Amino acid sequence: MTTAPGGVRASARVLARGDGRGGTALPVLEGEGPLALRRTRGSGAEARVMLVGAMSGPLGGDHFTVDVQARSGARLRVGSAAATLALPGQDKAGARYDVRLTVDDGAELCWLPEQLISAGGSDLRLTTSVDLAAGARLLLREEQVLGRAGEEPGRLTSRLTVRIDGRCVLDQELGCGPGAPGGWDGPAGLAGHRAVGQVVVVRPEFADRPPAGCVYEEGAAVMPLAGPAALVSAVAPDGLRLRRLLDGALASLD
């Protein structure tokens, strides 16, 4: 970790691989500063890692990077101990949070962090880049809450890119809050809602039996992607309702 006038630079890295005995080994589990990593009790062949926020942030000027790799034979679940709170800092520059996920053939990754809250006055750019082999499995959830209770949101720009076997199946960007492109809060955007999220599911069996697109409930929809993948999207008035919508729509895929 480094601290400079422009903010904190911190990174975390997880490498998982099959241990040859039906389980998952974690030869690399490295975190620094605000990105502390802890291995928790897994289930069966699955290894579980928790991202623990050891400092406030990201603040203005901070740059966090998380790199997670699931190699062949690995089953890995990564979560976070609490919500991530984007805050304004003394530095007027925006903050960055970059997530890179890589999953090999015969590996499975569940990326399930808690919600990201965009506090008033903050400015955060979140990028999540996912590269999967043709035989990889993925469950990815992202949830953003715009502002704390009774608070206007900060500026939040979120980009999610998913590639399967080198082919891009999803590349979307959402900008919210002050200075975001016009219409983000209108009928064609969030329509006054203050929580938005998506779940990406990649399963090799979807290549032969793709899920059907549908509206799950008002505010939530399931959409097949151009690959063995599906996207669940939802908007809601608050984070609790958002989680319920995403979980319900996800269950409809089983």
Side-chain angles (χ1 to χ4, degrees), residues 62-230:
D62 290 351
H63 186 183
F64 297 169
T65 303
V66 176
D67 188 334
V68 178
Q69 302 176 44
R71 299 305 185 192
S72 181
R75 291 186 59 195
L76 176 63
R77 178 181 293 259
V78 182
S80 59
T84 297
L85 181 61
L87 293 165
Q90 292 183 347
D91 192 297
K92 298 304 180 183
R96 289 180 56 187
Y97 200 137
D98 297 328
V99 177
R100 298 191 292 264
L101 310 176
T102 306
V103 190
D104 286 356
D105 278 315
E108 178 178 352
L109 173 63
C110 296
W111 175 255
L112 302 171
E114 293 301 314
Q115 295 169 339
L116 168 64
I117 301 172
S118 175
S122 65
D123 184 355
L124 175 66
R125 181 171 183 85
L126 169 68
T127 64
T128 303
S129 179
V130 187
D131 284 283
L132 302 131
R137 303 176 72 89
L138 174 75
L139 174 62
L140 177 149
R141 182 183 68 217
E142 285 192 343
E143 299 168 306
Q144 289 104 32
V145 178
L146 306 180
R148 294 167 289 192
E151 177 184 61
E152 289 299 309
R155 171 74 180 270
L156 175 63
T157 304
S158 173
R159 183 169 183 176
L160 172 61
T161 306
V162 179
R163 290 174 289 271
I164 302 176
D165 198 23
R167 183 165 61 106
C168 185
V169 300
L170 178 67
D171 190 355
Q172 66 176 25
E173 182 169 296
L174 176 67
C176 303
W184 69 270
D185 200 24
L190 300 187
H193 292 95
R194 284 296 177 264
V196 57
Q198 50 274 327
V199 175
V200 178
V201 184
V202 179
R203 300 174 183 168
E205 57 266 29
F206 283 170
D208 298 321
R209 300 184 304 277
C214 68
V215 175
Y216 170 69
E217 284 186 25
E218 183 178 356
V222 178
M223 181 177 66
L225 299 177

